[in-house]
Amino acid sequence: MRAAIGLRLESNEDWEQAATYVVEAERLGVDFVWSHESWGLDAATPLAFMAARTSRIRLGSGIMQAGTRTPALLAMTAMSLASMSGGRFVLGLGVSGPQVIEGWQGIRFDRPVTRMRETAEIVRRAVRGERVAFKGQVYELPLPGGEGKALRSSAAPREVPIYLATLSPRSLEMTGEIADGWLGTSFMPEHARVFFDHIEAGARRAGRSLTALDLHAGGHLAFGDDVERMIAARKPGLAFTLGAMGSRQHNFYNDAFKRAGYTDAAVEVQRLWLDGKRDEAAARVPDELAVKVNLLGTEAMVRNRIDTYRAAGITTLRVDPGGRTVKERLETLARFMDLLRAA
Protein backbone atom coordinates (compact mmCIF):
# COMPACT_ATOMS: atom_id res chain seq x y z
CA MET A 1 0.00 0.00 0.00
CA ARG A 2 1.27 3.45 -0.93
CA ALA A 3 0.87 6.73 0.95
CA ALA A 4 -0.41 10.14 -0.09
CA ILE A 5 -0.79 13.56 1.52
CA GLY A 6 -2.46 16.82 0.56
CA LEU A 7 -1.19 20.39 0.42
CA ARG A 8 -2.66 22.76 2.99
CA LEU A 9 -1.69 26.18 1.70
CA GLU A 10 -4.91 28.13 2.05
CA SER A 11 -4.75 28.37 5.83
CA ASN A 12 -1.63 30.56 5.79
CA GLU A 13 -0.15 30.60 2.25
CA ASP A 14 3.30 29.94 3.66
CA TRP A 15 5.01 28.46 0.61
CA GLU A 16 8.34 27.72 2.27
CA GLN A 17 6.60 25.92 5.10
CA ALA A 18 4.54 23.91 2.62
CA ALA A 19 7.67 23.03 0.65
CA THR A 20 9.42 21.88 3.83
CA TYR A 21 6.48 19.61 4.58
CA VAL A 22 6.42 18.07 1.09
CA VAL A 23 10.20 17.63 0.84
CA GLU A 24 10.31 15.84 4.19
CA ALA A 25 7.26 13.75 3.26
CA GLU A 26 9.14 12.69 0.14
CA ARG A 27 12.13 11.70 2.28
CA LEU A 28 9.84 9.65 4.52
CA GLY A 29 8.65 7.68 1.51
CA VAL A 30 5.28 9.29 0.73
CA ASP A 31 4.30 8.52 -2.86
CA PHE A 32 1.83 11.30 -3.78
CA VAL A 33 1.05 14.89 -2.85
CA TRP A 34 -2.30 16.28 -4.00
CA SER A 35 -3.20 19.93 -4.56
CA HIS A 36 -6.88 20.91 -4.62
CA GLU A 37 -8.93 23.90 -5.69
CA SER A 38 -12.33 25.18 -4.64
CA TRP A 39 -12.70 28.98 -4.59
CA GLY A 40 -9.23 29.97 -3.35
CA LEU A 41 -5.86 29.01 -4.76
CA ASP A 42 -5.81 26.94 -7.94
CA ALA A 43 -4.67 23.31 -8.04
CA ALA A 44 -1.97 23.53 -10.71
CA THR A 45 0.31 26.42 -9.73
CA PRO A 46 1.35 25.04 -6.31
CA LEU A 47 2.45 21.83 -8.02
CA ALA A 48 4.86 23.75 -10.23
CA PHE A 49 6.41 25.20 -7.07
CA MET A 50 6.69 21.74 -5.53
CA ALA A 51 8.10 20.24 -8.73
CA ALA A 52 11.13 22.49 -8.36
CA ARG A 53 11.72 21.37 -4.75
CA THR A 54 11.25 17.60 -5.11
CA SER A 55 12.61 14.76 -7.21
CA ARG A 56 10.56 11.60 -6.60
CA ILE A 57 7.12 12.24 -5.11
CA ARG A 58 4.25 12.23 -7.60
CA LEU A 59 2.42 15.54 -7.98
CA GLY A 60 -1.33 15.36 -8.43
CA SER A 61 -4.10 17.88 -8.97
CA GLY A 62 -6.63 16.67 -6.50
CA ILE A 63 -8.73 18.04 -8.01
CA MET A 64 -8.89 20.46 -10.93
CA GLN A 65 -12.49 21.36 -11.72
CA ALA A 66 -13.66 19.97 -15.07
CA GLY A 67 -15.66 22.51 -17.05
CA THR A 68 -13.86 25.58 -15.73
CA ARG A 69 -11.04 25.10 -18.25
CA THR A 70 -11.35 23.85 -21.80
CA PRO A 71 -10.06 20.30 -22.32
CA ALA A 72 -7.25 21.72 -24.46
CA LEU A 73 -6.14 24.04 -21.65
CA LEU A 74 -6.24 21.15 -19.20
CA ALA A 75 -4.06 19.16 -21.59
CA MET A 76 -1.57 22.02 -21.94
CA THR A 77 -1.39 22.45 -18.16
CA ALA A 78 -0.91 18.71 -17.72
CA MET A 79 1.86 18.58 -20.31
CA SER A 80 3.63 21.55 -18.74
CA LEU A 81 3.55 20.04 -15.24
CA ALA A 82 4.55 16.61 -16.56
CA SER A 83 7.46 18.16 -18.42
CA MET A 84 8.83 20.25 -15.54
CA SER A 85 8.45 17.38 -13.04
CA GLY A 86 10.10 14.71 -15.14
CA GLY A 87 6.87 12.81 -15.71
CA ARG A 88 5.65 12.89 -12.10
CA PHE A 89 2.37 14.73 -12.72
CA VAL A 90 -1.03 13.05 -12.27
CA LEU A 91 -4.14 14.82 -13.55
CA GLY A 92 -6.91 14.56 -10.98
CA LEU A 93 -10.29 15.85 -12.16
CA GLY A 94 -13.67 16.37 -10.54
CA VAL A 95 -16.90 18.10 -11.48
CA SER A 96 -17.26 19.97 -8.15
CA GLY A 97 -20.92 20.96 -7.65
CA PRO A 98 -23.50 23.54 -8.70
CA GLN A 99 -22.83 25.91 -5.81
CA VAL A 100 -19.19 26.41 -6.82
CA ILE A 101 -19.48 25.98 -10.58
CA GLU A 102 -22.48 28.28 -10.94
CA GLY A 103 -21.83 30.58 -7.98
CA TRP A 104 -18.07 31.10 -8.35
CA GLN A 105 -17.30 30.19 -11.95
CA GLY A 106 -20.55 31.44 -13.54
CA ILE A 107 -20.92 28.26 -15.61
CA ARG A 108 -24.03 26.11 -15.76
CA PHE A 109 -23.64 22.81 -13.93
CA ASP A 110 -25.08 20.64 -16.65
CA ARG A 111 -24.31 17.11 -17.89
CA PRO A 112 -21.41 16.69 -15.44
CA VAL A 113 -20.77 13.00 -16.15
CA THR A 114 -20.83 13.51 -19.91
CA ARG A 115 -18.62 16.57 -19.59
CA MET A 116 -16.08 14.63 -17.51
CA ARG A 117 -16.01 11.71 -19.93
CA GLU A 118 -15.48 13.95 -22.95
CA THR A 119 -12.88 16.05 -21.14
CA ALA A 120 -10.83 12.97 -20.26
CA GLU A 121 -11.01 11.68 -23.84
CA ILE A 122 -9.89 14.97 -25.39
CA VAL A 123 -7.08 15.41 -22.84
CA ARG A 124 -5.79 11.91 -23.54
CA ARG A 125 -5.76 12.48 -27.29
CA ALA A 126 -3.99 15.82 -26.90
CA VAL A 127 -1.23 14.70 -24.54
CA ARG A 128 -0.50 11.65 -26.69
CA GLY A 129 0.18 13.89 -29.65
CA GLU A 130 -2.90 12.95 -31.67
CA ARG A 131 -4.63 15.41 -33.95
CA VAL A 132 -7.71 16.39 -31.96
CA ALA A 133 -10.94 16.16 -33.92
CA PHE A 134 -13.83 15.39 -31.58
CA LYS A 135 -17.60 15.53 -31.73
CA GLY A 136 -19.43 14.91 -28.48
CA GLN A 137 -22.53 16.12 -26.70
CA VAL A 138 -20.69 18.90 -24.84
CA TYR A 139 -17.51 19.56 -26.84
CA GLU A 140 -16.85 19.69 -30.56
CA LEU A 141 -13.37 20.34 -31.94
CA PRO A 142 -12.92 22.17 -34.20
CA LEU A 143 -16.09 24.22 -33.97
CA PRO A 144 -18.24 23.71 -37.07
CA GLY A 145 -18.79 26.57 -39.49
CA GLY A 146 -15.73 28.53 -38.38
CA GLU A 147 -12.12 28.94 -39.37
CA GLY A 148 -10.63 26.51 -36.86
CA LYS A 149 -8.97 23.25 -37.81
CA ALA A 150 -8.05 20.11 -35.93
CA LEU A 151 -4.64 20.61 -34.30
CA ARG A 152 -1.93 18.43 -32.85
CA SER A 153 -0.05 19.69 -29.79
CA SER A 154 3.40 21.07 -30.49
CA ALA A 155 4.60 19.70 -27.12
CA ALA A 156 6.25 16.29 -26.93
CA PRO A 157 3.75 13.40 -26.60
CA ARG A 158 3.54 11.75 -23.21
CA GLU A 159 1.28 9.65 -21.01
CA VAL A 160 -0.44 11.53 -18.19
CA PRO A 161 -2.47 9.37 -15.77
CA ILE A 162 -6.01 10.61 -15.18
CA TYR A 163 -7.59 10.08 -11.77
CA LEU A 164 -11.24 10.99 -11.17
CA ALA A 165 -12.86 12.16 -7.94
CA THR A 166 -16.39 10.77 -8.21
CA LEU A 167 -19.22 9.97 -5.82
CA SER A 168 -22.50 9.24 -7.63
CA PRO A 169 -23.21 5.77 -9.03
CA ARG A 170 -23.10 6.92 -12.67
CA SER A 171 -19.85 8.81 -12.25
CA LEU A 172 -18.29 5.92 -10.33
CA GLU A 173 -19.13 3.57 -13.20
CA MET A 174 -17.54 6.01 -15.63
CA THR A 175 -14.44 6.03 -13.41
CA GLY A 176 -14.20 2.28 -13.71
CA GLU A 177 -14.45 2.55 -17.48
CA ILE A 178 -11.97 5.32 -18.28
CA ALA A 179 -9.79 6.34 -15.32
CA ASP A 180 -6.34 5.28 -14.18
CA GLY A 181 -7.27 5.93 -10.56
CA TRP A 182 -10.03 7.03 -8.18
CA LEU A 183 -9.85 9.78 -5.56
CA GLY A 184 -12.29 8.79 -2.85
CA THR A 185 -14.06 11.01 -0.35
CA SER A 186 -16.86 10.24 2.13
CA PHE A 187 -15.26 6.80 2.14
CA MET A 188 -15.47 4.24 4.92
CA PRO A 189 -13.62 0.97 4.29
CA GLU A 190 -16.36 -0.93 6.13
CA HIS A 191 -18.74 0.24 3.39
CA ALA A 192 -16.32 0.13 0.46
CA ARG A 193 -18.70 -1.72 -1.84
CA VAL A 194 -20.99 1.34 -1.90
CA PHE A 195 -18.33 2.77 -4.21
CA PHE A 196 -16.47 -0.26 -5.53
CA ASP A 197 -19.50 -2.12 -6.89
CA HIS A 198 -20.13 0.75 -9.31
CA ILE A 199 -16.46 1.24 -10.21
CA GLU A 200 -16.12 -2.49 -10.80
CA ALA A 201 -19.22 -2.55 -13.02
CA GLY A 202 -17.74 0.18 -15.19
CA ALA A 203 -14.38 -1.55 -15.30
CA ARG A 204 -16.01 -4.78 -16.50
CA ARG A 205 -17.71 -2.91 -19.34
CA ALA A 206 -14.26 -1.72 -20.42
CA GLY A 207 -12.90 -5.27 -20.28
CA ARG A 208 -10.78 -4.85 -17.16
CA SER A 209 -10.98 -5.41 -13.42
CA LEU A 210 -11.15 -3.17 -10.36
CA THR A 211 -7.47 -3.90 -9.73
CA ALA A 212 -6.59 -1.92 -12.87
CA LEU A 213 -7.27 1.29 -10.93
CA ASP A 214 -5.21 2.96 -8.21
CA LEU A 215 -7.79 3.51 -5.45
CA HIS A 216 -7.09 6.45 -3.10
CA ALA A 217 -8.93 7.15 0.15
CA GLY A 218 -8.19 7.94 3.77
CA GLY A 219 -8.71 10.66 6.32
CA HIS A 220 -7.35 12.65 9.22
CA LEU A 221 -4.51 10.96 11.10
CA ALA A 222 -3.95 11.47 14.82
CA PHE A 223 -2.26 9.43 17.55
CA GLY A 224 -3.25 9.45 21.21
CA ASP A 225 -5.12 7.77 24.04
CA ASP A 226 -7.95 10.32 24.37
CA VAL A 227 -10.03 8.96 21.51
CA GLU A 228 -13.19 10.75 22.65
CA ARG A 229 -11.43 14.10 22.29
CA MET A 230 -10.12 13.17 18.84
CA ILE A 231 -13.59 12.09 17.72
CA ALA A 232 -15.11 15.34 18.95
CA ALA A 233 -12.49 17.33 17.03
CA ARG A 234 -13.49 15.67 13.73
CA LYS A 235 -17.23 16.24 14.04
CA PRO A 236 -17.37 19.92 12.95
CA GLY A 237 -15.59 19.03 9.70
CA LEU A 238 -17.98 16.18 9.04
CA ALA A 239 -20.93 18.45 9.79
CA PHE A 240 -19.55 20.91 7.22
CA THR A 241 -19.27 18.12 4.64
CA LEU A 242 -22.77 16.83 5.30
CA GLY A 243 -24.36 20.24 5.57
CA ALA A 244 -22.42 22.79 3.57
CA MET A 245 -20.78 20.91 0.71
CA GLY A 246 -23.76 21.46 -1.55
CA SER A 247 -27.30 22.76 -1.47
CA ARG A 248 -30.48 21.21 -0.06
CA GLN A 249 -31.07 19.74 -3.51
CA HIS A 250 -27.55 18.54 -4.36
CA ASN A 251 -24.95 17.36 -1.85
CA PHE A 252 -23.03 14.46 -3.36
CA TYR A 253 -21.06 13.87 -0.15
CA ASN A 254 -24.22 13.68 1.91
CA ASP A 255 -25.74 11.26 -0.62
CA ALA A 256 -22.70 8.97 -0.34
CA PHE A 257 -23.13 8.69 3.43
CA LYS A 258 -26.82 7.92 2.92
CA ARG A 259 -25.92 5.05 0.59
CA ALA A 260 -23.61 3.71 3.31
CA GLY A 261 -26.57 3.47 5.69
CA TYR A 262 -26.41 6.81 7.52
CA THR A 263 -29.53 8.39 6.04
CA ASP A 264 -31.08 9.65 9.29
CA ALA A 265 -27.86 11.27 10.50
CA ALA A 266 -27.05 12.75 7.08
CA VAL A 267 -30.49 14.31 6.71
CA GLU A 268 -30.59 15.67 10.25
CA VAL A 269 -27.04 17.10 10.19
CA GLN A 270 -27.75 18.83 6.88
CA ARG A 271 -31.02 20.28 8.19
CA LEU A 272 -29.40 21.62 11.34
CA TRP A 273 -26.46 23.09 9.43
CA LEU A 274 -28.61 24.83 6.83
CA ASP A 275 -30.81 26.19 9.63
CA GLY A 276 -27.72 27.85 11.10
CA LYS A 277 -27.42 25.44 14.05
CA ARG A 278 -23.84 24.43 13.44
CA ASP A 279 -22.96 23.30 16.96
CA GLU A 280 -26.07 21.11 17.04
CA ALA A 281 -25.18 19.75 13.60
CA ALA A 282 -21.71 18.75 14.79
CA ALA A 283 -23.13 17.12 17.92
CA ARG A 284 -25.51 15.06 15.76
CA VAL A 285 -22.65 13.44 13.80
CA PRO A 286 -22.39 9.83 15.02
CA ASP A 287 -19.17 8.90 16.79
CA GLU A 288 -18.72 5.87 14.54
CA LEU A 289 -18.77 8.08 11.46
CA ALA A 290 -15.79 10.05 12.78
CA VAL A 291 -13.99 6.79 13.52
CA LYS A 292 -14.71 5.16 10.16
CA VAL A 293 -13.59 8.03 7.92
CA ASN A 294 -10.35 8.73 9.81
CA LEU A 295 -7.34 7.05 11.42
CA LEU A 296 -7.49 7.96 15.11
CA GLY A 297 -6.16 6.61 18.39
CA THR A 298 -3.27 4.56 19.65
CA GLU A 299 -0.69 3.03 17.33
CA ALA A 300 -2.53 -0.28 17.60
CA MET A 301 -5.79 1.40 16.58
CA VAL A 302 -4.20 3.20 13.64
CA ARG A 303 -2.52 -0.02 12.55
CA ASN A 304 -5.93 -1.68 12.60
CA ARG A 305 -7.36 1.08 10.42
CA ILE A 306 -4.51 0.64 7.93
CA ASP A 307 -5.32 -3.07 7.77
CA THR A 308 -9.01 -2.29 7.29
CA TYR A 309 -8.33 0.05 4.36
CA ARG A 310 -5.99 -2.50 2.78
CA ALA A 311 -8.51 -5.33 3.18
CA ALA A 312 -11.19 -3.16 1.59
CA GLY A 313 -9.06 -2.76 -1.54
CA ILE A 314 -7.56 0.71 -1.11
CA THR A 315 -4.17 0.78 -2.83
CA THR A 316 -3.02 4.26 -1.77
CA LEU A 317 -3.87 5.57 1.69
CA ARG A 318 -4.15 9.35 1.84
CA VAL A 319 -3.69 10.90 5.26
CA ASP A 320 -3.95 14.38 6.75
CA PRO A 321 -1.54 14.25 9.71
CA GLY A 322 -2.59 16.11 12.81
CA GLY A 323 -0.37 18.65 14.55
CA ARG A 324 -0.24 22.34 15.41
CA THR A 325 3.05 22.90 13.58
CA VAL A 326 4.79 21.45 10.54
CA LYS A 327 7.21 19.68 12.90
CA GLU A 328 4.34 18.01 14.76
CA ARG A 329 2.59 17.04 11.53
CA LEU A 330 5.78 15.49 10.20
CA GLU A 331 6.29 13.57 13.44
CA THR A 332 2.75 12.19 13.05
CA LEU A 333 3.43 11.34 9.42
CA ALA A 334 6.70 9.57 10.30
CA ARG A 335 4.92 7.37 12.86
CA PHE A 336 2.31 6.50 10.25
CA MET A 337 4.92 5.62 7.61
CA ASP A 338 6.62 3.26 10.09
CA LEU A 339 3.29 1.52 10.70
CA LEU A 340 2.51 1.37 6.99
CA ARG A 341 5.83 -0.27 6.19
CA ALA A 342 5.44 -2.77 9.03
CA ALA A 343 1.86 -3.68 8.17
Side-chain angles (χ1 to χ4, degrees), residues 86-106:
R88 291 183 286 135
F89 176 66
V90 178
L91 177 60
L93 295 172
V95 299
S96 189
Q99 282 192 315
V100 174
I101 297 301
E102 297 187 357
W104 178 249
Q105 301 286 357

Side-chain angles (χ1 to χ4, degrees), residues 48-210:
F49 188 87
M50 297 306 162
R53 304 297 184 94
T54 57
S55 59
R56 183 197 58 80
I57 196 167
R58 304 202 73 183
L59 309 163
S61 60
I63 50 93
M64 278 197 262
Q65 298 163 348
T68 62
R69 304 165 176 84
T70 66
L73 178 56
L74 279 170
M76 290 192 291
T77 302
M79 287 187 286
S80 297
L81 286 166
S83 176
M84 72 175 67
S85 67
R88 291 183 286 135
F89 176 66
V90 178
L91 177 60
L93 295 172
V95 299
S96 189
Q99 282 192 315
V100 174
I101 297 301
E102 297 187 357
W104 178 249
Q105 301 286 357
I107 301 168
R108 287 295 173 201
F109 187 75
D110 67 323
R111 298 173 291 180
V113 177
T114 301
R115 184 181 299 277
M116 179 79 89
R117 181 186 293 273
E118 293 184 9
T119 295
E121 176 62 25
I122 294 169
V123 168
R124 280 215 170 95
R125 293 187 189 185
V127 301
R128 289 173 178 171
E130 299 177 22
R131 192 175 300 278
V132 182
F134 184 88
K135 183 174 175 57
Q137 297 179 44
V138 177
Y139 296 107
E140 185 169 0
L141 299 171
L143 283 175
E147 299 180 32
K149 64 179 182 178
L151 296 173
R152 179 182 288 113
S153 174
S154 60
R158 66 195 74 238
E159 291 290 330
V160 176
I162 296 179
Y163 286 40
L164 300 182
T166 50
L167 285 166
S168 70
R170 280 185 63 219
S171 63
L172 289 164
E173 289 187 20
M174 176 190 62
T175 301
E177 283 187 72
I178 70 171
D180 298 294
W182 177 65
L183 303 175
T185 54
S186 304
F187 180 86
M188 295 171 281
E190 292 84 354
H191 306 280
R193 301 313 303 185
V194 168
F195 300 95
F196 291 170
D197 283 350
H198 298 292
I199 297 175
E200 192 166 36
R204 283 199 302 266
R205 280 203 300 270
R208 58 182 187 159
S209 68
L210 183 65

Side-chain angles (χ1 to χ4, degrees), residues 222-234:
F223 291 100
D225 296 322
D226 191 348
V227 179
E228 288 187 8
R229 179 186 60 79
M230 287 186 280
I231 288 173
R234 304 327 307 162

Side-chain angles (χ1 to χ4, degrees), residues 230-277:
M230 287 186 280
I231 288 173
R234 304 327 307 162
K235 288 189 175 187
L238 279 165
F240 180 86
T241 297
L242 290 163
M245 293 289 283
S247 64
R248 290 185 189 273
Q249 293 74 33
H250 297 100
N251 184 320
F252 303 121
Y253 306 89
N254 190 292
D255 290 344
F257 283 112
K258 290 177 184 174
R259 294 198 303 274
Y262 292 90
T263 298
D264 291 346
V267 169
E268 184 67 5
V269 171
Q270 184 184 49
R271 183 189 68 78
L272 290 167
W273 184 279
L274 294 177
D275 287 347
K277 301 175 181 178

